[in-house]
């Protein structure tokens, strides 16, 4: 059974940092790419980053470029999202998702992606 579990969310002041984790089970990173998404109240789910170990791809949305960094522990089947210089507008529920590659993750509607985690809340206070 494929499963994604996010962790690491919390409450932080503006300018602070958090590191989110997305741990996968039931598949390896050679089989799937991992996308990070976020959804703020009243807004659509937004893709912010994508990582593909097999394609050697790491991508970021303009809204987080330079502040967020993806890293991975392939042996541990975990992808991390290091979030620095957080802003109140980064407040959202953060999700990771898996599908065959970053092109698929970027181009398909979120509800068409194969696998999702349950999400973790990130709140940035001003």
């Amino acid at each position: 059974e494929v499963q994604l579990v996010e962790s690491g969310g919390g409450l932080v002041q503006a300018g602070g940092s958090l590191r989110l984790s997305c741990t996968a089970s039931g598949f390896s990173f050679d089989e799937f790419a991992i996308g990070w998404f976020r959804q703020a109240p009243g807004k659509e789910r937004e893709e912010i980053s994508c990582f593909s170990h097999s394609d050697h791809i790491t991508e970021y949305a303009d809204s987080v470029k330079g502040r967020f960094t993806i890293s991975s522990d392939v042996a541990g089947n975990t992808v991390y999202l290091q979030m620095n210089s957080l802003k109140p507008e980064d407040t959202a529920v953060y999700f990771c998702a898996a599908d065959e590659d970053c092109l698929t993750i970027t181009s398909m509607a979120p509800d068409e992606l194969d696998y999702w985690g349950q999400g973790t809340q990130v709140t940035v206070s001003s």
Side-chain angles (χ1 to χ4, degrees), residues 10 12-18 20 37-41 43 46 48 62-65 67-68 81 83-94 120-125:
V12 64
Q13 289 188 331
S17 299
L18 283 173
L20 306 184
F37 292 74
R38 66 186 181 186
Q39 188 165 20
K43 295 190 176 181
E46 171 194 18
I48 57 173
D62 288 343
S63 57
V64 304
K65 197 174 294 183
R67 299 187 298 123
F68 291 10
L81 185 68
M83 307 187 297
N84 298 328
S85 302
L86 283 162
K87 306 174 183 179
E89 51 264 43
D90 293 318
T91 295
V93 179
Y94 284 69
T120 184
Q121 175 71 47
V122 171
T123 303
V124 184
S125 63

Side-chain angles (χ1 to χ4, degrees), residues 36-126:
W36 280 100
F37 292 74
R38 66 186 181 186
Q39 188 165 20
K43 295 190 176 181
E44 292 187 352
R45 195 164 294 191
E46 171 194 18
E47 183 198 350
I48 57 173
S49 187
C50 190
F51 166 78
S52 172
H53 174 69
S54 60
D55 295 334
H56 307 287
I57 289 174
T58 306
E59 300 174 338
Y60 301 96
D62 288 343
S63 57
V64 304
K65 197 174 294 183
R67 299 187 298 123
F68 291 10
T69 305
I70 278 188
S71 62
S72 64
D73 172 6
V74 176
N77 245 19
T78 298
V79 173
Y80 302 99
L81 185 68
Q82 178 67 42
M83 307 187 297
N84 298 328
S85 302
L86 283 162
K87 306 174 183 179
E89 51 264 43
D90 293 318
T91 295
V93 179
Y94 284 69
F95 301 87
C96 60
D99 215 303
E100 59 180 298
D101 52 40
C102 282
L103 177 62
T104 300
I105 288 174
T106 300
S107 61
M108 294 184 70
D111 59 3
E112 294 178 318
L113 299 181
D114 284 345
Y115 304 106
W116 286 92
Q118 82 289 351
T120 184
Q121 175 71 47
V122 171
T123 303
V124 184
S125 63
S126 57

